[in-house]
Amino acid sequence: MDKPQGRRTCLYSTVQLDAIVGDMARQAAGLLTGRARVAIVGILRRGAPLADRLHARLKQDFGLTGCVRLDLQIKRYADDLTLLYPETRLTENAAHAMLSLEGHTVLVVDDVMYRGHSMLRGVEYLAGKQPAEIRTVVLVDRGAAKLPVRTDIVGVRLDVAPTDIIECNVPPYEADFKIDLLQPA
């Protein structure tokens, strides 16, 4: 998919984001203290590699092992914030159909909290798997959620104009790990 045209400004570089993910891992480790069963769930697309980064930092820095690691395919908006579907679509992976998360603490990871549709759909789905608790983790919270979803762990909060687009560039989908602000032409 071609990126939309406009003025791009890099807000956070790879080095800065690595430090931010480290801080997010520290916050997550605090939430997970005393929890024996943990699941980390990434929302595809970019939430999945972010969940991998967070999981790696939790293992490296805090010794967290034995996590269940899954991804959910949820789609409503394109990367340029154009509406793809009137409802938020979750495509269930057949391997997850009978999955029980009973007694688990679940961290749901996404790149950007915008209106809250994807996160709410993911939380609703995961709640049916009977976890002990569900916590939400986002790299960027735009502060524009319209649904009753709160973020437990936030990398950065960015208040930008409604017409502006936050582009989270996350390998393997993009070459460099960075956050750009796009002001459409």
Side-chain angles (χ1 to χ4, degrees):
M1 181 168 113
D2 290 332
K3 290 202 173 216
Q5 296 301 306
R7 190 172 117 213
R8 271 186 182 72
T9 306
C10 181
L11 301 178
Y12 292 91
S13 68
T14 300
V15 171
Q16 292 168 315
L17 287 178
D18 285 341
I20 288 167
V21 170
D23 186 57
M24 292 169 67
R26 182 191 54 74
Q27 292 176 61
L31 286 175
L32 298 174
T33 299
R35 307 319 194 272
R37 297 162 68 186
V38 175
I40 299 175
V41 180
I43 296 178
L44 290 167
R45 287 192 351 156
R46 289 168 184 84
L50 286 170
D52 290 337
R53 285 174 182 265
L54 182 65
H55 185 210
R57 289 298 292 266
L58 284 166
K59 280 178 20 180
Q60 173 190 316
D61 298 348
F62 301 97
L64 182 71
T65 58
C67 288
V68 173
R69 180 63 191 86
L70 335 158
D71 294 325
L72 294 179
Q73 184 175 350
I74 301 174
K75 201 69 173 164
R76 180 174 171 96
Y77 295 100
D79 292 337
D80 66 357
L81 303 182
T82 56
L83 188 66
L84 295 175
Y85 308 109
E87 75 288 340
T88 306
R89 293 190 177 179
L90 183 144
T91 304
E92 184 174 47
N93 180 328
H96 299 166
M98 300 307 291
L99 176 71
S100 171
L101 293 173
E102 189 171 339
H104 283 75
T105 295
V106 178
L107 298 180
V108 185
V109 182
D110 205 1
D111 60 341
V112 178
M113 171 67 80
Y114 181 46
R115 299 287 189 207
H117 293 280
S118 297
M119 188 64 79
L120 181 60
R121 183 67 182 100
V123 167
E124 287 173 336
Y125 173 78
L126 292 165
K129 303 292 182 186
Q130 303 302 310
E133 64 183 313
I134 300 173
R135 301 297 186 140
T136 57
V137 181
V138 295
L139 183 60
V140 177
D141 187 335
R142 285 186 58 145
K146 299 292 184 196
L147 299 174
V149 179
R150 66 180 172 84
T151 49
D152 295 299
I153 298 172
V154 176
V156 294
R157 293 189 193 280
L158 298 173
D159 294 318
V160 299
T163 55
D164 291 347
I165 299 169
I166 298 296
E167 292 183 338
C168 287
N169 296 276
V170 183
Y173 300 110
E174 291 84 23
D176 297 315
F177 188 33
K178 65 181 182 167
I179 297 174
D180 288 341
L181 172 67
L182 171 64
Q183 295 169 303

